[in-house]
Coordinates of all heavy atoms in Angstrom, one line a residue:
M1 N -30.8 -51.5 -65.6 CA -31.6 -51.4 -64.3 C -32.8 -50.6 -64.9 O -32.7 -49.5 -65.4 CB -30.8 -50.7 -63.3 CG -31.6 -50.7 -62.1 SD -30.7 -49.7 -60.8 CE -29.4 -50.7 -60.1
D2 N -34.0 -51.1 -64.7 CA -35.1 -50.3 -65.0 C -35.5 -49.2 -63.9 O -35.1 -49.4 -62.9 CB -36.3 -51.3 -65.4 CG -36.8 -52.1 -64.2 OD1 -36.7 -51.7 -63.1 OD2 -37.3 -53.3 -64.4
K3 N -36.5 -48.5 -64.2 CA -36.9 -47.4 -63.5 C -37.5 -47.8 -62.0 O -37.4 -47.4 -61.0 CB -37.9 -46.5 -64.1 CG -38.2 -45.3 -63.3 CD -39.2 -44.2 -64.2 CE -39.4 -43.1 -63.5 NZ -40.3 -42.3 -64.2
S4 N -38.3 -49.0 -62.1 CA -38.9 -49.5 -60.9 C -37.9 -50.0 -60.0 O -37.9 -49.8 -58.6 CB -40.0 -50.5 -61.2 OG -39.4 -51.7 -61.8
T5 N -36.9 -50.7 -60.4 CA -35.8 -51.3 -59.5 C -35.2 -50.1 -58.8 O -34.8 -50.2 -57.7 CB -34.9 -52.0 -60.3 OG1 -35.5 -53.1 -61.0 CG2 -33.9 -52.7 -59.5
S6 N -34.8 -49.1 -59.6 CA -34.2 -47.9 -59.0 C -35.0 -47.2 -58.0 O -34.4 -46.8 -57.0 CB -33.8 -47.0 -60.2 OG -33.2 -45.8 -59.7
Q7 N -36.3 -47.1 -58.2 CA -37.2 -46.5 -57.2 C -37.1 -47.2 -55.9 O -37.2 -46.7 -54.8 CB -38.5 -46.3 -57.6 CG -39.5 -45.6 -56.9 CD -39.1 -44.1 -56.6 OE1 -38.6 -43.5 -57.5 NE2 -39.4 -43.8 -55.5
I8 N -37.2 -48.7 -56.1 CA -37.2 -49.4 -54.8 C -35.9 -49.3 -54.1 O -36.0 -49.2 -52.9 CB -37.5 -51.0 -55.2 CG1 -38.8 -51.1 -55.7 CG2 -37.3 -51.9 -54.1 CD1 -39.1 -52.4 -56.3
E9 N -34.8 -49.3 -54.8 CA -33.5 -49.0 -54.1 C -33.4 -47.8 -53.4 O -33.0 -47.6 -52.3 CB -32.4 -49.2 -55.1 CG -32.2 -50.6 -55.8 CD -31.2 -50.6 -56.8 OE1 -30.8 -49.7 -57.3 OE2 -30.9 -51.8 -57.1
Y10 N -34.0 -46.7 -54.0 CA -34.0 -45.3 -53.3 C -34.9 -45.3 -52.2 O -34.5 -44.8 -51.0 CB -34.4 -44.3 -54.3 CG -33.4 -43.9 -55.3 CD1 -33.6 -44.0 -56.6 CD2 -32.1 -43.5 -54.9 CE1 -32.5 -43.6 -57.6 CE2 -31.2 -43.1 -55.8 CZ -31.3 -43.1 -57.1 OH -30.3 -42.7 -58.0
T11 N -36.0 -46.1 -52.3 CA -37.0 -46.1 -51.1 C -36.3 -46.9 -50.0 O -36.4 -46.5 -48.8 CB -38.3 -46.8 -51.5 OG1 -38.9 -46.1 -52.6 CG2 -39.3 -47.0 -50.4
I12 N -35.7 -48.1 -50.2 CA -35.1 -48.8 -49.2 C -33.9 -48.0 -48.5 O -33.8 -48.0 -47.4 CB -34.6 -50.1 -49.8 CG1 -35.8 -51.0 -50.1 CG2 -33.7 -50.8 -48.8 CD1 -35.3 -52.3 -50.8
A13 N -33.2 -47.3 -49.4 CA -31.9 -46.5 -48.8 C -32.6 -45.4 -48.0 O -31.9 -45.1 -47.0 CB -31.3 -45.9 -50.0
G14 N -33.7 -44.8 -48.3 CA -34.2 -43.7 -47.7 C -34.8 -44.2 -46.4 O -34.6 -43.5 -45.3
N15 N -35.6 -45.3 -46.3 CA -36.0 -45.9 -45.2 C -34.9 -46.3 -44.2 O -35.0 -46.0 -42.9 CB -36.9 -47.1 -45.4 CG -38.2 -46.8 -46.1 OD1 -38.6 -45.7 -46.1 ND2 -38.8 -47.8 -46.7
M16 N -33.8 -47.0 -44.6 CA -32.7 -47.3 -43.9 C -32.1 -46.1 -43.3 O -31.7 -46.0 -42.1 CB -31.7 -48.0 -44.7 CG -32.1 -49.4 -45.0 SD -30.9 -50.4 -45.9 CE -29.5 -50.4 -44.9
G17 N -31.9 -44.9 -44.0 CA -31.4 -43.8 -43.5 C -32.1 -43.2 -42.4 O -31.6 -42.7 -41.4
N18 N -33.5 -43.2 -42.5 CA -34.4 -42.7 -41.5 C -34.3 -43.6 -40.3 O -34.2 -43.0 -39.1 CB -35.8 -42.7 -42.1 CG -36.1 -41.6 -43.0 OD1 -35.4 -40.7 -43.1 ND2 -37.2 -41.9 -43.8
M19 N -34.2 -44.9 -40.4 CA -34.0 -45.8 -39.2 C -32.8 -45.5 -38.5 O -32.8 -45.5 -37.3 CB -34.1 -47.2 -39.7 CG -35.6 -47.7 -40.2 SD -35.5 -49.3 -40.8 CE -34.6 -50.4 -39.7
I20 N -31.7 -45.3 -39.3 CA -30.3 -45.0 -38.7 C -30.4 -43.7 -37.8 O -29.9 -43.7 -36.8 CB -29.3 -45.0 -39.8 CG1 -29.0 -46.5 -40.3 CG2 -27.9 -44.5 -39.3 CD1 -28.2 -46.6 -41.5
G21 N -31.0 -42.7 -38.5 CA -31.2 -41.4 -37.8 C -32.0 -41.6 -36.5 O -31.6 -41.0 -35.6
Q22 N -33.0 -42.4 -36.5 CA -33.9 -42.5 -35.3 C -33.2 -43.2 -34.3 O -33.3 -42.9 -33.1 CB -35.2 -43.3 -35.8 CG -36.3 -42.5 -36.5 CD -37.3 -43.3 -37.0 OE1 -37.5 -44.5 -36.9 NE2 -38.4 -42.6 -37.6
L23 N -32.4 -44.4 -34.7 CA -31.7 -45.1 -33.7 C -30.5 -44.1 -33.2 O -30.2 -44.3 -32.0 CB -31.0 -46.3 -34.3 CG -32.0 -47.4 -34.8 CD1 -31.3 -48.6 -35.5 CD2 -32.7 -48.0 -33.5
S24 N -30.0 -43.3 -34.0 CA -28.9 -42.4 -33.4 C -29.4 -41.6 -32.4 O -28.9 -41.2 -31.3 CB -28.3 -41.7 -34.7 OG -27.5 -42.5 -35.5
L25 N -30.7 -41.1 -32.6 CA -31.3 -40.1 -31.7 C -31.6 -40.9 -30.4 O -31.4 -40.4 -29.4 CB -32.5 -39.6 -32.3 CG -33.3 -38.6 -31.4 CD1 -32.6 -37.3 -31.2 CD2 -34.7 -38.1 -32.2
Q26 N -32.1 -42.1 -30.4 CA -32.4 -42.8 -29.3 C -31.1 -43.1 -28.5 O -31.1 -43.0 -27.2 CB -33.1 -44.1 -29.7 CG -34.5 -44.1 -30.1 CD -35.1 -45.5 -30.6 OE1 -34.4 -46.3 -30.7 NE2 -36.4 -45.3 -30.9
I27 N -30.0 -43.5 -29.2 CA -28.8 -43.7 -28.5 C -28.3 -42.4 -27.8 O -27.9 -42.5 -26.6 CB -27.7 -44.1 -29.5 CG1 -27.9 -45.7 -29.9 CG2 -26.4 -44.1 -28.9 CD1 -27.1 -46.0 -31.2
A28 N -28.5 -41.2 -28.4 CA -28.1 -40.0 -27.8 C -28.9 -39.7 -26.6 O -28.4 -39.3 -25.5 CB -28.2 -39.0 -28.8
K29 N -30.2 -40.0 -26.6 CA -31.0 -39.8 -25.4 C -30.7 -40.7 -24.3 O -30.6 -40.3 -23.2 CB -32.6 -40.0 -25.9 CG -33.1 -38.9 -26.7 CD -34.6 -39.2 -27.1 CE -35.1 -38.1 -27.9 NZ -36.6 -38.4 -28.3
L30 N -30.5 -42.1 -24.7 CA -30.0 -43.0 -23.7 C -28.6 -42.5 -23.1 O -28.5 -42.7 -21.8 CB -29.9 -44.4 -24.3 CG -31.2 -45.0 -24.6 CD1 -31.0 -46.2 -25.4 CD2 -32.1 -45.3 -23.4
Q31 N -27.8 -42.1 -23.9 CA -26.5 -41.7 -23.3 C -26.6 -40.6 -22.3 O -26.0 -40.4 -21.3 CB -25.5 -41.2 -24.3 CG -25.0 -42.5 -25.2 CD -24.1 -42.1 -26.5 OE1 -24.4 -41.1 -27.0 NE2 -23.2 -43.0 -26.8
T32 N -27.6 -39.7 -22.7 CA -27.8 -38.5 -21.9 C -28.4 -39.0 -20.5 O -28.0 -38.5 -19.5 CB -28.6 -37.5 -22.5 OG1 -28.1 -37.0 -23.8 CG2 -28.9 -36.3 -21.6
A33 N -29.3 -39.8 -20.7 CA -29.9 -40.5 -19.4 C -29.0 -41.2 -18.5 O -29.0 -40.8 -17.3 CB -31.2 -41.4 -19.8
V34 N -28.1 -41.8 -19.1 CA -27.0 -42.6 -18.3 C -26.1 -41.6 -17.7 O -25.9 -41.6 -16.4 CB -26.2 -43.6 -19.2 CG1 -24.9 -44.0 -18.6 CG2 -27.2 -44.7 -19.6
Q35 N -25.8 -40.5 -18.3 CA -24.9 -39.4 -17.6 C -25.6 -38.9 -16.6 O -25.0 -38.5 -15.5 CB -24.6 -38.4 -18.8 CG -23.5 -38.9 -19.8 CD -23.2 -37.8 -20.8 OE1 -24.0 -36.9 -21.1 NE2 -22.2 -38.1 -21.6
Q36 N -26.9 -38.5 -16.7 CA -27.7 -37.9 -15.6 C -27.8 -38.9 -14.4 O -27.7 -38.5 -13.2 CB -29.1 -37.5 -16.1 CG -29.1 -36.4 -17.0 CD -30.4 -36.2 -17.6 OE1 -31.3 -37.0 -17.6 NE2 -30.7 -34.9 -18.3
K37 N -28.1 -40.1 -14.7 CA -28.2 -41.1 -13.6 C -26.8 -41.3 -12.9 O -26.8 -41.4 -11.6 CB -28.7 -42.4 -14.1 CG -30.1 -42.5 -14.6 CD -31.1 -42.1 -13.4 CE -32.4 -42.1 -13.8 NZ -33.4 -41.5 -12.7
N38 N -25.7 -41.2 -13.7 CA -24.4 -41.4 -13.0 C -24.1 -40.2 -12.1 O -23.6 -40.3 -11.2 CB -23.3 -41.4 -14.1 CG -23.4 -42.9 -14.7 OD1 -23.8 -43.9 -14.2 ND2 -22.6 -43.0 -16.1
A39 N -24.5 -39.1 -12.5 CA -24.4 -37.8 -11.8 C -25.2 -37.9 -10.5 O -24.7 -37.5 -9.5 CB -24.7 -36.6 -12.5
E40 N -26.4 -38.2 -10.7 CA -27.3 -38.5 -9.4 C -26.7 -39.6 -8.6 O -26.6 -39.3 -7.2 CB -28.6 -39.0 -9.8 CG -29.5 -38.0 -10.6 CD -30.8 -38.5 -11.1 OE1 -31.2 -39.6 -10.6 OE2 -31.4 -37.9 -11.9
N41 N -26.1 -40.7 -9.1 CA -25.6 -41.6 -8.2 C -24.2 -41.1 -7.6 O -24.1 -41.4 -6.3 CB -25.2 -42.8 -9.1 CG -24.7 -44.1 -8.3 OD1 -25.3 -44.3 -7.3 ND2 -23.9 -44.9 -9.0
D42 N -23.5 -40.4 -8.2 CA -22.3 -39.8 -7.6 C -22.7 -38.9 -6.5 O -22.1 -38.8 -5.3 CB -21.4 -38.9 -8.7 CG -20.8 -39.9 -9.6 OD1 -20.6 -41.1 -9.4 OD2 -20.3 -39.4 -10.7
Q43 N -23.7 -38.0 -6.5 CA -24.2 -37.1 -5.6 C -24.8 -37.9 -4.4 O -24.5 -37.6 -3.3 CB -25.3 -36.2 -6.2 CG -25.8 -35.2 -5.2 CD -24.7 -34.3 -4.6 OE1 -23.9 -33.9 -5.4 NE2 -24.8 -33.9 -3.4
L44 N -25.5 -39.0 -4.7 CA -26.0 -39.9 -3.7 C -24.8 -40.5 -2.7 O -25.1 -40.6 -1.5 CB -27.0 -40.9 -4.1 CG -28.4 -40.3 -4.6 CD1 -29.1 -41.4 -5.4 CD2 -29.1 -39.8 -3.4
K45 N -23.7 -40.9 -3.5 CA -22.6 -41.4 -2.9 C -22.0 -40.5 -2.0 O -21.6 -40.8 -0.8 CB -21.6 -42.0 -3.9 CG -21.9 -43.2 -4.6 CD -20.9 -43.6 -5.5 CE -21.2 -44.9 -6.4 NZ -20.3 -45.3 -7.4
I46 N -21.9 -39.2 -2.4 CA -21.3 -38.1 -1.6 C -22.2 -38.0 -0.3 O -21.7 -37.9 0.9 CB -21.2 -36.8 -2.3 CG1 -20.0 -37.0 -3.4 CG2 -20.9 -35.6 -1.5 CD1 -20.0 -35.9 -4.5
E47 N -23.5 -37.9 -0.5 CA -24.4 -37.6 0.6 C -24.4 -38.9 1.6 O -24.3 -38.7 2.8 CB -25.9 -37.6 0.1 CG -26.1 -36.3 -0.6 CD -27.5 -36.2 -1.1 OE1 -28.4 -36.9 -0.7 OE2 -27.7 -35.3 -2.1
N48 N -24.2 -40.1 1.1 CA -24.2 -41.3 1.9 C -22.9 -41.3 2.7 O -23.0 -41.6 3.9 CB -24.1 -42.5 1.0 CG -24.2 -43.7 1.7 OD1 -24.7 -43.8 2.8 ND2 -23.9 -44.8 1.1
E49 N -21.9 -40.9 2.2 CA -20.6 -40.8 2.9 C -20.6 -39.7 3.9 O -20.1 -39.9 5.1 CB -19.4 -40.5 1.9 CG -18.0 -40.5 2.7 CD -17.8 -42.0 3.3 OE1 -18.2 -42.8 2.7 OE2 -16.9 -41.9 4.2
T50 N -21.3 -38.5 3.7 CA -21.4 -37.6 4.7 C -22.2 -38.1 5.9 O -21.9 -37.8 7.0 CB -22.1 -36.2 4.2 OG1 -21.3 -35.8 3.0 CG2 -22.3 -35.2 5.1
L51 N -23.3 -38.8 5.5 CA -24.2 -39.3 6.6 C -23.5 -40.5 7.5 O -23.5 -40.4 8.6 CB -25.5 -39.9 6.1 CG -26.5 -38.8 5.5 CD1 -27.5 -39.4 4.7 CD2 -27.0 -38.0 6.6
R52 N -22.8 -41.2 6.7 CA -21.9 -42.2 7.4 C -21.0 -41.5 8.4 O -20.8 -42.1 9.4 CB -21.2 -43.1 6.3 CG -20.6 -44.4 6.9 CD -19.7 -45.2 5.9 NE -20.6 -45.4 4.7 CZ -21.5 -46.3 4.5 NH1 -21.7 -47.2 5.5 NH2 -22.2 -46.5 3.3
K53 N -20.3 -40.6 8.0 CA -19.4 -39.9 8.9 C -20.1 -39.3 10.1 O -19.6 -39.3 11.2 CB -18.6 -38.7 8.1 CG -17.6 -39.4 7.2 CD -17.0 -38.1 6.4 CE -16.0 -38.7 5.5 NZ -15.3 -37.6 4.8
K54 N -21.3 -38.7 9.8 CA -22.1 -38.2 11.0 C -22.4 -39.3 12.0 O -22.5 -39.0 13.2 CB -23.3 -37.4 10.5 CG -23.0 -36.1 9.8 CD -24.2 -35.5 9.3 CE -23.9 -34.0 8.6 NZ -25.2 -33.4 8.2
V55 N -23.0 -40.5 11.4 CA -23.4 -41.5 12.2 C -22.2 -42.1 13.0 O -22.3 -42.3 14.3 CB -24.0 -42.7 11.4 CG1 -24.1 -44.0 12.1 CG2 -25.3 -42.1 10.8
N56 N -21.1 -42.2 12.4 CA -19.9 -42.7 13.1 C -19.4 -41.7 14.2 O -19.1 -42.2 15.3 CB -18.7 -42.9 12.0 CG -18.8 -44.2 11.3 OD1 -19.6 -44.9 11.6 ND2 -18.2 -44.1 10.1
A57 N -19.5 -40.4 13.9 CA -19.1 -39.4 14.9 C -20.2 -39.5 16.0 O -19.7 -39.5 17.3 CB -19.2 -37.9 14.3
H58 N -21.4 -39.8 15.8 CA -22.5 -39.8 16.8 C -22.3 -41.0 17.7 O -22.3 -41.0 18.8 CB -23.8 -39.7 16.2 CG -24.9 -39.9 17.1 ND1 -25.2 -38.8 18.1 CD2 -25.8 -40.8 17.5 CE1 -26.2 -39.3 18.9 NE2 -26.5 -40.4 18.5
E59 N -22.0 -42.2 17.1 CA -21.7 -43.4 17.7 C -20.4 -43.3 18.6 O -20.5 -43.7 19.7 CB -21.5 -44.6 16.7 CG -22.8 -45.0 16.0 CD -22.5 -46.0 15.0 OE1 -21.4 -46.2 14.6 OE2 -23.7 -46.6 14.6
S60 N -19.5 -42.7 18.1 CA -18.2 -42.4 18.8 C -18.5 -41.6 20.0 O -18.0 -41.9 21.3 CB -17.2 -41.7 17.9 OG -16.0 -41.4 18.8
S61 N -19.2 -40.5 19.9 CA -19.6 -39.6 21.0 C -20.5 -40.3 22.1 O -20.3 -40.3 23.3 CB -20.4 -38.5 20.4 OG -20.9 -37.6 21.5
T62 N -21.3 -41.2 21.5 CA -22.2 -42.0 22.5 C -21.4 -43.0 23.3 O -21.6 -43.2 24.4 CB -23.3 -42.8 21.7 OG1 -24.1 -41.8 20.9 CG2 -24.4 -43.5 22.5
N63 N -20.5 -43.6 22.6 CA -19.6 -44.5 23.3 C -18.9 -44.0 24.4 O -18.6 -44.4 25.5 CB -18.8 -45.3 22.3 CG -19.5 -46.3 21.5 OD1 -20.6 -46.8 21.8 ND2 -18.9 -46.7 20.4
N64 N -18.4 -42.8 24.2 CA -17.4 -42.0 25.0 C -18.3 -41.6 26.3 O -17.9 -41.7 27.4 CB -17.0 -40.7 24.5 CG -15.8 -41.0 23.4 OD1 -15.2 -42.1 23.5 ND2 -15.5 -40.0 22.6
T65 N -19.7 -41.1 26.0 CA -20.5 -40.9 27.1 C -20.8 -42.1 28.0 O -20.7 -42.1 29.2 CB -21.9 -40.4 26.7 OG1 -21.5 -39.2 25.8 CG2 -22.8 -39.9 27.6
D66 N -21.0 -43.2 27.4 CA -21.3 -44.5 28.0 C -20.0 -44.9 28.9 O -20.3 -45.3 30.1 CB -21.6 -45.5 27.1 CG -23.0 -45.4 26.4 OD1 -23.8 -44.6 26.9 OD2 -23.4 -46.1 25.5
N67 N -19.0 -44.8 28.4 CA -17.7 -45.1 29.1 C -17.5 -44.2 30.2 O -17.2 -44.7 31.4 CB -16.5 -45.2 28.1 CG -16.4 -46.2 27.2 OD1 -17.1 -47.3 27.4 ND2 -15.8 -46.1 26.1
R68 N -17.8 -43.0 30.1 CA -17.6 -42.0 31.2 C -18.6 -42.4 32.4 O -18.2 -42.2 33.5 CB -17.8 -40.6 30.8 CG -16.7 -39.9 30.2 CD -16.6 -38.6 29.8 NE -17.2 -38.5 28.4 CZ -17.8 -37.5 27.8 NH1 -18.2 -36.5 28.6 NH2 -18.3 -37.6 26.7
Q69 N -19.8 -42.7 32.0 CA -20.8 -43.1 32.9 C -20.4 -44.3 33.7 O -20.7 -44.4 35.0 CB -22.3 -43.1 32.4 CG -22.8 -42.0 32.0 CD -24.1 -42.2 31.2 OE1 -24.7 -43.3 30.9 NE2 -24.9 -41.0 30.9
K70 N -19.9 -45.3 33.1 CA -19.4 -46.6 33.7 C -18.3 -46.3 34.7 O -18.3 -46.7 35.7 CB -19.0 -47.6 32.6 CG -20.2 -48.1 31.8 CD -19.6 -49.1 30.7 CE -20.9 -49.5 29.9 NZ -20.4 -50.4 28.7
H71 N -17.5 -45.5 34.3 CA -16.2 -45.2 35.1 C -16.6 -44.2 36.3 O -16.0 -44.2 37.2 CB -15.1 -44.5 34.4 CG -14.5 -45.5 33.3 ND1 -13.9 -46.6 33.7 CD2 -14.4 -45.4 31.9 CE1 -13.4 -47.3 32.6 NE2 -13.8 -46.6 31.6
S72 N -17.7 -43.3 36.0 CA -18.0 -42.5 37.3 C -18.8 -43.2 38.3 O -19.3 -42.6 39.3 CB -18.7 -41.2 36.7 OG -19.9 -41.5 36.1
G73 N -19.4 -44.4 37.9 CA -20.2 -45.2 38.8 C -21.7 -45.0 38.6 O -22.5 -45.4 39.5
N74 N -22.0 -44.2 37.6 CA -23.6 -44.0 37.3 C -24.2 -45.3 36.7 O -23.9 -45.9 35.8 CB -23.8 -42.7 36.5 CG -23.4 -41.5 37.2 OD1 -23.4 -41.6 38.5 ND2 -23.1 -40.5 36.6

């Protein structure tokens, strides 16, 4: 193996190593972003459920008021 072939191989290996490192970093960033979005999504689900319960309670209260008014003759 001559010196020029060896240099090309080292250059290619170095470039591949750099590419692998960059891709690993991008993957880590994407994984972090997905975790953050999942946490946000979980929080929104909790808020949604809380609001749904409030709406259901309000609708139930409104229905009870309507029923009392119908039965009282108003």
Side-chain angles (χ1 to χ4, degrees):
M1 188 185 281
D2 63 30
K3 188 176 180 180
S4 64
T5 303
S6 178
Q7 183 63 35
I8 290 172
E9 290 173 351
Y10 284 124
T11 301
I12 291 172
N15 289 345
M16 286 180 61
N18 288 338
M19 288 173 52
I20 290 169
Q22 289 173 354
L23 290 172
S24 295
L25 182 60
Q26 287 178 350
I27 289 169
K29 287 179 180 180
L30 290 171
Q31 287 173 331
T32 301
V34 166
Q35 288 175 345
Q36 290 173 346
K37 290 297 179 185
N38 285 343
E40 290 174 18
N41 192 29
D42 290 344
Q43 183 61 36
L44 289 172
K45 285 179 181 178
I46 292 168
E47 290 176 21
N48 188 22
E49 186 59 29
T50 301
L51 290 172
R52 190 181 312 274
K53 287 179 182 178
K54 287 181 180 180
V55 167
N56 288 340
H58 180 70
E59 287 175 347
S60 175
S61 173
T62 302
N63 288 340
N64 287 339
T65 302
D66 289 345
N67 287 337
R68 278 185 269 152
Q69 287 178 352
K70 289 177 185 175
H71 290 297
S72 67
N74 291 339

